């Protein structure tokens, strides 16, 4: 039931009994609730995943005779019976036609003699495409411009599927077929070899082929294309080499050393950076200079969100945190870890900033890319910081299942601080930070070092003793950086937009009359609409929800 508060709007979400403890300054770093990190059921051993951005539907190819369909806005699931079992490892979407193409098993329960299927996204009906393919990830590619789909065949051949008629043509190539990538601008298809040292180049207009010799390898190689630069990148798992090919001349531009055993390669065309995931690290290549950089992480699959310049890597194997997701900040080339049960595949919807991670545990984890994470020890779980009456600051590491690991002391003398808030990653280095105000009104940034401690603190404000409430709501104005909301003694509420590097843009007033509130907190996205919200308790003990509109203001 909706009510109006003393400010004239918003919604009551709790009575005084459940709101009595709000406003404590002793605990910081609590997880943001709501839609972030939702786990959804799928079929057995969920594997390949693909996103249709146009319809906000997500498709998961399972290792039985089903495909799971996730509705992005509601996180509800449906099941499509495909008629054959035993594959699940490759899937692509053509958003222009709302068709989904996937590999199917032979019905025996193994990934043998797989064929192709196509789903009509409007009706969820399934049709067979009678062509034997190699059942492995990356063996399908789509050209949205020409409405053609390309599939790696069970020999030295590639199938071309007409998206209008589902008819196929066969193109012979000189080496074993590995993974495929399409340049829709030039209508050229690149086939990385499953063995041997030759990349096949298919002209999409004529179906004629050419070859480019590269360093020999014995595992299927990964391939990606940057249509903006017409460069092709082939990662060799055996030799740890990334071959850079000039698409205009079909010549090798460079051969770069990568992280050990590269399993996947992806491109951010907006920044012209290339990401190659190895067993225990990710190689980041500057596409302008072909300069490689190593970033901690690693895994078997990659997905890029060009809109946020974030990169997601599954199959994380560094240290003691297996099956998590490495999140790389493409601006700083730094990485952080999110516990997400990642095992097989990952996909991103840039329009909603949601990340989908499949797992052999028959689930898909949905991550909210906009939610700040309060992981102070970099183990992939959300933690809590607590200050006791002696001023000692304690870290209570979350165990990822609603409980705690052993606490550790991470500071002392913190009783000089009158406010402590968990700001998320305030300085843009991909670790969780803390903001604290001392008794003189100075505001200090304590940058987390990612391993339960701190880098050198820095003063980021003064005169903050005029503020009667300070909260860290996350990214309140939707610009991708962490912000702060503060209430002054007159009851005005101010937004201090973070600049992403430990400082501020100009503040803006976003409310007045807030001195009727006895407590104000930032819970993150509380109502599940993808924007950061505020909770406030009034003098009568009623708890009010103020839904943020994602651009620095409020919904009614």
């Amino acid at each position: 039931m909706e009510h109006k508060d003393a400010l004239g709007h918003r919604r009551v979400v709790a009575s005084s009994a459940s709101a009595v403890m709000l406003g404590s300054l002793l605990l910081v770093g609590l997880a943001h609730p709501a839609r972030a990190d939702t786990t959804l059921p799928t079929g057995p051993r969920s594997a390949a995943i693909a996103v249709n951005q146009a319809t906000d539907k997500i498709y998961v190819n399972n290792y039985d005779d089903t495909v799971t369909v996730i509705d992005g806005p509601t996180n509800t699931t449906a099941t499509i019976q495909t008629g054959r079992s035993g594959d699940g490892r490759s899937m692509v979407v053509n958003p222009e036609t709302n068709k989904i193409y996937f590999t199917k098993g032979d019905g025996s329960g193994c990934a043998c003699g797989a064929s192709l299927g196509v789903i009509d996204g409007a009706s969820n009906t399934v049709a067979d495409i009678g062509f034997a393919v190699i059942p492995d990830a990356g063996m399908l590619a789509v050209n949205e411009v020409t409405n053609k789909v390309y599939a790696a065949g069970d020999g030295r051949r590639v199938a071309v599927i007409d998206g209008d008629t589902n008819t196929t043509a066969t193109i012979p190539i000189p080496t074993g077929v590995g993974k495929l990538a399409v340049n829709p601008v030039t209508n050229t298809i690149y086939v990385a070899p499953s063995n041997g040292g030759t990349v096949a180049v298919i002209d999409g207009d004529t179906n004629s082929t050419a070859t480019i010799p590269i360093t020999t390898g014995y595992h299927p190689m990964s391939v990606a294309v940057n249509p903006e630069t017409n460069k092709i990148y082939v990662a060799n798992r055996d030799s740890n080499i990334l071959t850079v090919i000039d698409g205009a001349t079909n010549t090798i531009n460079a051969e770069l050393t990568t992280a050990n055993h590269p399993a996947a390669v992806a491109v951010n065309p907006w920044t012209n950076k290339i990401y190659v995931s190895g067993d225990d690290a990710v190689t980041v290549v500057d596409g302008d200079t072909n300069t490689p950089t190593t970033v901690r992480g690693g895994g078997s699959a990659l997905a890029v969100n060009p809109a946020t310049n974030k990169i997601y890597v599954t199959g994380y194997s560094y240290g003691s945190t297996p099956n998590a997701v490495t999140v790389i900040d493409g601006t700083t080339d730094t990485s952080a870890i999110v516990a997400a049960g990642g095992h097989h595949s990952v996909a991103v919807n840039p329009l909603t900033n949601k990340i989908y991670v499949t797992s052999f545990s028959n689930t898909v984890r949905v991550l909210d890319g906009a939610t700040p994470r309060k992981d102070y020890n970099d183990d992939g779980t959300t933690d809590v910081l607590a200050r006791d009456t002696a001023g000692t600051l304690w870290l209570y590491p979350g165990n990822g299942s609603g409980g705690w690991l052993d606490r550790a002391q991470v500071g002392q003398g913190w009783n000089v601080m009158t406010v402590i808030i968990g700001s998320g990653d305030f300085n843009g280095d991909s670790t969780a930070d803390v903001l604290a105000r001392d008794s003189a009104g100075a505001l200090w940034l304590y940058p987390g070092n990612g391993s339960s401690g701190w880098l050198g603190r820095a003063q980021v404000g003064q005169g903050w003793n005029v503020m009667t409430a300070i909260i860290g709501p996350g990214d309140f104005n939707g610009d991708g950086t962490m912000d702060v909301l503060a209430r002054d003694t007159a009851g005005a509420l101010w937004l201090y937009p973070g600049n992403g590097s430990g400082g501020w843009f100009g503040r803006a007033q976003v409310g007045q009359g807030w001195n009727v509130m006895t407590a104000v907190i930032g819970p993150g996205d509380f109502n599940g609409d993808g924007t950061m919200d505020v909770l406030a308790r009034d003098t009568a003990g009623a708890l009010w929800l103020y839904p943020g509109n994602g651009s620095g203001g409020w919904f009614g």
Side-chain angles (χ1 to χ4, degrees):
M1 181 175 184
E2 295 234 355
H3 297 271
K4 298 294 184 179
D5 68 352
L7 305 183
H9 51 301
R10 310 309 178 235
R11 180 190 302 268
V12 173
V13 294
S15 67
S16 59
S18 58
V20 67
M21 291 304 295
L22 284 179
S24 170
L25 301 178
L26 301 183
L27 298 180
V28 296
L30 293 172
H32 293 312
R35 294 178 63 187
D37 296 0
T38 302
T39 300
L40 304 176
T42 65
R45 300 181 71 195
S46 57
I49 188 167
V51 173
N52 188 338
Q53 298 178 29
T55 62
D56 198 7
K57 295 288 179 68
I58 300 88
Y59 298 86
V60 183
N61 198 5
N62 303 310
Y63 267 68
D64 63 355
D65 59 349
T66 65
V67 167
T68 300
V69 185
I70 301 170
D71 181 78
T74 64
N75 279 345
T76 56
T77 61
T79 300
I80 299 175
Q81 301 291 327
T82 64
R84 283 191 176 183
S85 62
D87 183 28
R89 284 186 283 183
S90 198
M91 172 175 275
V92 293
V93 168
N94 188 342
E96 297 296 325
T97 62
N98 197 13
K99 297 289 179 68
I100 303 92
Y101 300 85
F102 62 101
T103 52
K104 301 172 62 175
D106 65 352
S108 66
C110 74
C112 316
S115 63
L116 283 172
V118 56
I119 298 171
D120 184 321
S123 63
N124 283 351
T125 55
V126 181
D128 286 314
I129 301 174
F131 182 81
V133 298
I134 301 172
D136 203 353
M139 299 302 186
L140 299 176
V142 63
N143 188 335
E144 300 170 14
V145 177
T146 63
N147 194 17
K148 296 289 178 67
V149 181
Y150 298 86
D154 60 350
R156 297 184 174 185
R157 60 184 187 142
V158 170
V160 186
I161 299 101
D162 186 312
D164 293 325
T165 63
N166 287 344
T167 56
T168 62
T170 301
I171 302 174
I173 62 173
T175 59
V177 180
K179 299 180 181 181
L180 307 172
V182 170
N183 187 339
V185 175
T186 62
N187 194 16
T188 307
I189 302 88
Y190 298 89
V191 186
S194 60
N195 53 62
T198 302
V199 172
V201 183
I202 300 173
D203 185 318
D205 294 324
T206 64
N207 287 348
S208 60
T209 62
T211 58
I212 304 172
I214 63 171
T215 302
T216 300
Y218 296 99
H219 289 89
M221 300 179 191
S222 301
V223 60
V225 170
N226 188 344
E228 301 294 327
T229 63
N230 197 13
K231 295 289 178 64
I232 301 90
Y233 300 89
V234 182
N236 190 324
R237 185 166 178 80
D238 295 308
S239 64
N240 303 336
I241 288 178
L242 179 71
T243 301
V244 184
I245 297 172
D246 186 332
T249 61
N250 282 348
T251 57
I252 294 176
N253 186 266
E255 287 189 330
L256 309 174
T257 301
T258 68
N260 193 37
H261 293 158
V265 59
V267 172
N268 186 342
W270 293 12
T271 63
N272 194 20
K273 283 191 175 180
I274 301 88
Y275 300 88
V276 186
S277 63
D279 285 347
D280 54 8
V282 176
T283 302
V284 183
V285 178
D286 184 318
D288 294 325
T289 63
N290 285 336
T291 304
T293 303
T294 300
V295 176
R296 187 192 62 169
S300 57
L302 282 167
V304 174
N305 187 344
T308 62
N309 197 16
K310 296 290 177 66
I311 300 87
Y312 301 88
V313 190
T314 66
Y316 183 82
S317 58
Y318 181 88
S320 59
T321 314
N323 294 336
V325 174
T326 300
V327 184
I328 299 173
D329 186 319
T331 302
T332 61
D333 289 341
T334 55
S335 64
I337 308 161
V338 175
H343 183 87
H344 203 280
S345 301
V346 59
V348 171
N349 187 342
L351 300 182
T352 63
N353 198 11
K354 294 292 193 300
I355 303 93
Y356 301 87
V357 185
T358 65
S359 171
F360 275 177
S361 61
N362 308 339
T363 60
V364 166
R365 193 72 173 268
V366 185
L367 306 180
D368 186 341
T371 300
R373 304 187 181 277
K374 310 293 183 67
D375 178 15
Y376 292 98
N377 60 358
D378 207 14
D379 65 352
T381 61
T382 298
D383 308 317
V384 164
L385 292 171
R387 179 188 62 187
D388 63 24
T389 54
T392 303
L393 193 65
W394 298 91
L395 170 67
Y396 287 80
N399 65 7
S401 57
W404 312 99
L405 303 176
D406 292 339
R407 74 174 186 172
Q409 183 177 337
V410 293
Q412 58 186 357
W414 282 68
N415 45 6
V416 302
M417 297 299 177
T418 58
V419 173
I420 305 171
I421 64 171
S423 61
D425 177 20
F426 189 71
N427 62 356
D429 64 355
S430 296
T431 60
D433 308 318
V434 163
L435 289 169
R437 181 187 66 187
D438 64 24
S439 55
L443 191 66
W444 298 90
L445 168 67
Y446 287 81
N449 64 7
S451 57
S452 305
W454 314 100
L455 304 176
R457 74 173 186 172
Q459 186 174 340
V460 293
Q462 57 185 354
W464 281 68
N465 45 6
V466 301
M467 297 300 177
T468 58
I470 304 172
I471 66 171
D475 178 16
F476 190 71
N477 62 358
D479 65 354
T481 61
M482 300 300 104
D483 307 318
V484 165
L485 288 170
R487 179 188 63 189
D488 64 25
T489 52
L493 190 67
W494 298 90
L495 169 65
Y496 287 80
N499 63 10
S501 57
W504 314 95
F505 294 118
R507 74 174 187 172
Q509 186 173 342
V510 293
Q512 58 185 354
W514 281 70
N515 45 8
V516 301
M517 296 299 178
T518 59
V520 183
I521 65 171
D525 178 17
F526 190 76
N527 63 356
D529 65 354
T531 62
M532 301 299 106
D533 307 317
V534 166
L535 289 171
R537 181 188 64 193
D538 65 22
T539 53
L543 184 63
W544 298 89
L545 169 66
Y546 289 78
N549 63 10
S551 57
W554 314 97
F555 288 119

